[in-house]
Amino acid sequence: QARGQQQQTNARQPKGAVPAQQPQRVPAAPQAVPAQQAAPAPQVPPSAMSKEQLMALLVNAPPAQAKQILGERLYALIQAEQGPLAGKITGMLLEGLDNSELIALIDDAEALRSKIQEALAALEAHAQQQQQAAQH
């Protein structure tokens, strides 16, 4: 029983000791600061990356982050052609295509134009449906 009481006492001590240990852990946080200072080295936005830089970034990115990176690159390409509709068209492409198809569009300007035209046609059809629904 003495050991059981001693273990209970020891079990209680760490709870009381945790606040005393936390200030010792606080200096560990500044060690992360140099890593944060090193990370913002000149980061190139995906829209301005070379294909090699983009592919290296995509290989190491989780799928959701890769999709975002591809979206940023596609948005820049689409905006040059479609201006205010670029966000909508980019969103449609991101939802409708997988990452490998999106990469192919970045490489092939003609395929991208074709997909943009498909998206514009879908937007037009949707607008007509809404207009007809409003008239009835």
Side-chain angles (χ1 to χ4, degrees), residues 2-130:
R3 281 188 180 175
Q5 288 174 347
Q6 187 178 15
Q7 286 176 347
Q8 285 178 350
T9 304
N10 288 342
R12 288 183 198 151
Q13 287 176 350
K15 288 181 184 177
V18 170
Q21 290 175 351
Q22 284 179 341
Q24 294 173 352
R25 291 182 183 174
V26 172
Q31 291 174 356
V33 172
Q36 290 173 347
Q37 289 171 348
Q43 282 192 342
V44 178
S47 60
M49 287 182 178
S50 69
K51 182 179 179 203
E52 292 76 21
Q53 291 172 316
L54 184 67
M55 295 309 291
L57 188 59
L58 291 173
V59 166
N60 297 318
Q65 186 181 4
K67 184 80 81 170
Q68 180 179 351
I69 292 165
L70 289 168
E72 289 177 31
R73 179 65 171 258
L74 283 169
Y75 178 83
L77 296 171
I78 295 168
Q79 187 179 32
E81 236 180 83
Q82 292 299 322
L85 290 175
K88 188 76 159 171
I89 294 169
T90 302
M92 293 170 72
L93 295 179
L94 291 174
E95 283 186 24
L97 302 173
D98 66 28
N99 288 1
S100 63
E101 292 171 304
L102 295 170
I103 292 168
L105 292 180
I106 291 169
D107 285 340
D108 186 347
E110 194 54 45
L112 178 59
R113 280 190 203 96
S114 175
K115 287 295 183 185
I116 289 171
Q117 292 307 312
E118 286 178 33
L120 289 171
L123 286 172
E124 180 65 30
H126 180 70
Q128 287 177 357
Q129 286 177 346
Q130 283 190 326

